[in-house]
Amino acid sequence: MLGSGLIKGLAQTAKNFFGSYHDPARMVTVEYPEQKRVVPEASRTIPFLVYDGEDPELGLRCTACKICEVECPTQCIYIVKNTSKKPDHVGKMQFHPATFDIDISVCMGCGICAEVCPFDSIKMDQVFELSTADRFESLLLHKQQLAKPNSYFGKIHPTEAGEIDIRREQDKRKAEAKAKADAEAKARAAAEVQNAAANSAAPPPSPQTVTPA
Amino acid sequence: MTKLDQIFVSTKHWLVGLAPEMLQSLASILLSIIPIMAVFGGCFAVTTILERKGLGRIQNRFGPNRVGPFGFLQPMADGIKMLTKEDIVPFQSDKVMHFLAPIVLTVPIWLAFSVLPFGRNMVAVDFNAGILFFFAAGAASELAVFMAGWASQNKYSLMGAMRAMAQMISYEVPLVLSAIPVIMIAGSLSLPQIVEAQAGYGAGWFPQWHVFTPWGLAGFGLFLVAATAESNRSPFDLPEGESELIAGFLTEYSGFKYALFFLGEYLGLFAISGLAVTLFLGGWHAPLPILEWLPSWFWFFVKFASLIAAFIWVRGTMPRLRMDQLLNLSWKFLVPLAVLNLFVTAVWHFSSNWQSFGGLAARWLMCGGLLAAAYVLLGRSLSRGQGTPRKYTYAE
């Protein structure tokens, strides 16, 4: 009959109205500044720089290779290479950035920089309360603001960070094993050279000295 | 009891007495106008926030709760925002019309309040053709809506205005037709006398309101549906349908003019709710004799507030109609039912001396049965073909 659907609808909304007062589980919204939803692991906003250990300057993974700067579609990354080098996690000497700026008013959050980075250094952040009253200075993030510890990365992207940590640990161990093997091989070679020299009626010892491993 | 009941009337007389002899008539007029504007202006502010909160609850969310305690200062914030916004007038618009439309909308609606009895002896103008004046003033809002749409020089505005015209003309007919039975029974066009006709209690406790008769119930339902359409509220808010017409005739309005339209819309709703209370719900009469110690204006506002709540409830429930559905509902359902209701009212009137038990039962069965049968049959014809897949004659 005409009107039965209207009554059904009115009953439903009345149920919602009264139910919303005594059943908090009905509420579909959260009161934002006080309560926050947990953001999904795959969500991303702007990039940040990962560093290992305690010191953001020493532990920064970035080697200032500038791949991200070149690949960035909006060209919001600005890098200046430092003249000195510092060892990375496998002990190899690498450059590091003197300046690393990201203009987040231009950044569109595409994540290409994080995809192309060969050093697992630039990753996507999940911060979203970035509004400021100043449109220029506070939207240009510097190295100090961008550098965040690996523990933070592990917290926001646990799966990806876990894989990277394992891989880096393996790399480190491999490098150590290789260094050890190299040193042993070198020591053996030097010993052979010495033996051969002693055997061939004692010529003067070679000037090449073996550094102890 | 009478002291509290007549507190506003006696205060007004006292204040008028304070004024010098020459200015007493002017003071009397002002003291009628200012309280009405203050009370219903305040009602507008309270209704906007309560409506938003109520709609929120209906959709299982909180509604505005940031400004002031529980968000109840939200109307102030809205008002400040509206007043300080830039007033944009389109370059090609008819500037005079564009300026006049919101004023032409609000003034007649304020006038309509002057004939409503808000309590015992509480009516600004005791006009012997009050209901006629009310409908005449209410109809003037259509002109304002069309002025707004036409003056904006904008296709959305014009379409919204055309829809408003079609809708308001169609629904003016059942609105007035559903009010005529009340005039037939009360024998008067004066609203205080219509309230007087609903005084007293049958069998000592049953209120003699018009809504408790078969024709009154049907008339009340028809009146509410037509009133919803007249005041442009959901589900009949096609003239300003956001999804298809931006905001209809309001598209080119901003700032305070927009606020005036908003005010006019709500005042129209208040006025028509007040009229529904007066015509069908016994005006300011208490529902039970033991509750008569409460003042008459209190009862008027209780009924008024519950009607507003019902309108908000309907707004939170119904989706918007399509234009053809809207017009079909009026011309194929409401108008025939309202015309039949006139006949039923006549039967009820001429059977008023059937006061025996069997006579009363026969009277109720006859009138109620006629209306119920008409409702079912008309409803069936209205929903015929609904729910079946639509046939496109030329598009296939």
Side-chain angles (χ1 to χ4, degrees), chain B residues 20-56:
Chain B
E21 190 82 34
M22 245 171 65
L23 298 175
Q24 275 192 357
S25 60
L26 182 70
S28 168
I29 293 169
L30 282 180
L31 285 171
S32 297
I33 295 172
I34 292 167
I36 289 179
M37 293 190 89
V39 167
F40 286 96
C43 271
F44 166 61
V46 174
T47 308
T48 50
I49 175 69
L50 284 181
E51 172 157 24
R52 288 176 65 186
K53 285 183 93 70
L55 288 180

Side-chain angles (χ1 to χ4, degrees), chain A residues 1-4 6-7 9-14 16-17 19-21 26-34, chain B residues 53-62 65-66 313-314 316-318 329 333 375-376 378-380 382-383:
Chain A
M1 203 178 68
L2 183 75
S4 55
L6 301 187
I7 290 166
L10 286 170
Q12 181 60 46
T13 45
N16 282 355
F17 181 82
S20 71
Y21 280 100
R26 272 178 173 273
M27 289 316 211
V28 291
T29 53
V30 293
E31 292 187 89
Y32 161 61
E34 291 95 42
Chain B
K53 285 183 93 70
L55 288 180
R57 290 287 172 176
I58 280 173
Q59 295 158 12
N60 282 331
R61 52 187 179 81
F62 290 98
N65 60 356
R66 295 285 135 172
W313 184 14
V314 168
T317 309
M318 310 294 172
L329 180 68
F333 184 75
Y375 177 82
V376 171
L378 282 172
R380 205 174 281 169
L382 186 70
S383 47

Side-chain angles (χ1 to χ4, degrees), chain B residues 295-308:
Chain B
S296 55
W297 41 267
F298 171 79
W299 284 117
F300 179 86
F301 276 97
V302 166
K303 293 171 190 174
F304 173 75
S306 34
L307 267 189
I308 299 289

Side-chain angles (χ1 to χ4, degrees), chain B residues 288-374:
Chain B
L288 288 173
I290 48 160
L291 292 171
E292 277 204 318
W293 59 275
L294 279 162
S296 55
W297 41 267
F298 171 79
W299 284 117
F300 179 86
F301 276 97
V302 166
K303 293 171 190 174
F304 173 75
S306 34
L307 267 189
I308 299 289
F311 277 119
I312 294 173
W313 184 14
V314 168
R315 185 185 167 183
T317 309
M318 310 294 172
R320 190 180 296 140
L321 267 71
R322 215 168 51 213
M323 196 67 201
D324 61 322
Q325 294 169 335
L326 178 94
L327 295 182
N328 274 351
L329 180 68
S330 173
W331 293 111
K332 292 185 178 171
F333 184 75
L334 297 180
V335 172
L337 208 57
V339 172
L340 180 79
N341 200 22
L342 292 182
F343 173 71
V344 171
T345 316
V347 171
W348 184 267
H349 179 65
F350 288 115
S351 62
S352 59
N353 54 351
W354 298 4
Q355 286 301 334
S356 67
F357 181 77
L360 271 178
R363 193 186 182 202
W364 268 86
L365 270 179
M366 191 161 62
C367 294
L370 255 175
L371 284 168

Side-chain angles (χ1 to χ4, degrees), chain A residues 121-139:
Chain A
S121 166
I122 192 162
K123 289 291 170 196
M124 296 308 280
D125 209 341
Q126 291 180 342
V127 288
F128 52 88
E129 288 161 321
L130 294 164
S131 57
T132 59
D134 172 25
R135 168 156 97 96
F136 302 106
E137 258 327 295
S138 40
L139 288 179

Side-chain angles (χ1 to χ4, degrees), chain B residues 116 131 134-135 171-182 191 211 215-231 236 268-281 307 311 334 337-338 341:
Chain B
L116 287 180
I131 190 167
F134 185 97
F135 284 129
Y171 279 83
E172 198 82 30
V173 179
L175 186 77
V176 177
L177 277 180
S178 61
I180 286 177
V182 178
L191 288 171
V211 73
W215 63 269
L217 187 63
F220 184 57
L222 292 171
F223 191 87
L224 281 192
V225 175
T228 323
E230 273 296 293
S231 51
F236 303 113
L269 176 73
F270 294 161
I272 217 134
S273 301
L275 189 69
V277 168
T278 307
L279 293 183
F280 296 101
L281 297 181
L307 267 189
F311 277 119
L334 297 180
L337 208 57
N341 200 22

